[in-house]
Amino acid sequence: MGTETQGKIIIRRGEARDAQAIYRIGTLCFTDAWREETVAHDLAQPLSRYWVAEVNHQVAAFACFWFVVDELQLVNIGVEPAMRRMGIAERLLRIGMEEAKKCGLTHMSLEVRIGNLPAQHLYKKYGLEIASLRKGAYEHPAEDGYIMTRTL
């Protein structure tokens, strides 16, 4: 998928040049954010697909998906705190799912902290259901995670 524009928000495929911005947003959103080197390495992997949202020519959000065999795995969605509640995460999720369907993927999965209710609400809106509980999935702070799945 190329570029999608809605007002001043531009959604495009993530590129190597976005690693630093993705890392920065990750540190704002996650206590266990990937290092910049990890982001750069993952961006270069053939199974990884990133989309970024630009606001005023600055990356303000990202989504990382892995396309593995027939399954779409949502790895991370991060939105700068000041840019939340504008539908950006939803647009990024939708684009990843649409691309996966075009590529013939048939299933989707993700892991989410049990305390991340806003994310769970978004995922449920798009048909994901809790399939299992993963005890001790997260550190910093320690928390269990839900595995959520759906058919594409």
Side-chain angles (χ1 to χ4, degrees), residues 67-120:
F67 285 54
V68 181
V69 188
D70 65 345
E71 184 177 344
L72 173 68
Q73 295 178 14
L74 172 60
V75 179
N76 279 320
I77 290 184
V79 180
E80 284 189 21
M83 301 304 299
R84 292 182 182 158
R85 315 256 344 131
M86 297 174 59
I88 296 172
E90 184 170 352
R91 289 176 61 196
L92 291 167
L93 178 64
R94 213 173 41 241
I95 286 171
M97 292 172 71
E98 289 168 3
E99 183 75 6
K101 287 179 190 176
K102 288 179 187 175
C103 292
L105 279 65
T106 57
H107 296 85
M108 178 177 180
S109 69
L110 60 86
E111 182 182 278
V112 61
R113 286 180 179 268
I114 61 169
N116 190 344
L117 299 179
Q120 290 175 42

Side-chain angles (χ1 to χ4, degrees), residues 15-35:
E15 302 172 358
R17 67 184 167 104
D18 300 314
Q20 185 176 28
I22 291 168
Y23 166 74
R24 180 184 56 77
I25 294 165
T27 63
L28 295 172
C29 298
F30 311 113
T31 57
D32 56 353
W34 287 359
R35 296 176 319 176

